Amino acid sequence: MLITRKVEFSASHVCRLAQLSEQENRELFGPAANPNGHGHNYVLEVSLEGEPDAVTGMVMDLKELKEILMRQVVEPYDHRFLNYEVPPFDHVVPTTENIARDIWQRLEPHLTDSRRRLHTVRVYETPDLYVDYCGDGPCSA
């Protein structure tokens, strides 16, 4: 069974590589290379896979899941300029793909145990653009 919890955060970023020229960055990243950055209202969906507990009927207490998401993702990310305020984005380009991977790394130790595992991190950068990250495995149910 999969359960999914959604949270939102707002953050700004710039996609560029220091070793490239302004022109090369614009060719590679387009408008996202603007050195002043730009922001998004991100939507994060986190799915866990597991069997419901025989007593509670839950894969995980959704209140506890929300608290973990708030502490591990929303608090460090919300209203931040990712490149300057949120490691590892001081040296990793904060693409949606890299953001999804970082969120997985922040959450996985807190959400995987003998009864359940982190299944998917889905990050929406815009309503029509999202990335699914599933750790080292394929993203399938």
Side-chain angles (χ1 to χ4, degrees), residues 7-13 38-44 70 73-82 85-86 99 103 123-125:
V7 295
E8 299 179 17
F9 60 91
S10 298
S12 59
H13 68 146
H38 63 283
H40 298 282
N41 294 317
Y42 292 92
V43 175
L44 169 64
M70 296 302 287
V73 179
V74 175
E75 289 175 14
Y77 273 67
D78 196 32
H79 292 90
R80 303 284 192 263
F81 197 129
L82 299 178
E85 299 180 75
V86 182
I99 291 168
I103 290 172
V123 178
Y124 284 87
E125 185 175 88

Side-chain angles (χ1 to χ4, degrees), residues 33 36 91 124:
N36 297 321
H91 64 278
Y124 284 87

Side-chain angles (χ1 to χ4, degrees), residues 112-117:
T112 297
D113 62 22
S114 61
R115 292 186 33 246
R116 65 177 183 256
R117 71 174 190 88

Side-chain angles (χ1 to χ4, degrees), residues 7-57:
V7 295
E8 299 179 17
F9 60 91
S10 298
S12 59
H13 68 146
V14 59
C15 293
R16 60 187 302 117
L17 295 167
Q19 67 269 27
L20 298 181
S21 70
E22 181 67 28
Q23 179 64 30
E24 291 170 318
N25 272 300
R26 290 209 180 266
E27 287 173 7
L28 186 59
F29 296 109
N34 178 344
N36 297 321
H38 63 283
H40 298 282
N41 294 317
Y42 292 92
V43 175
L44 169 64
E45 295 176 355
V46 173
S47 296
L48 303 177
E49 179 179 29
E51 288 302 315
D53 181 80
V55 175
T56 66

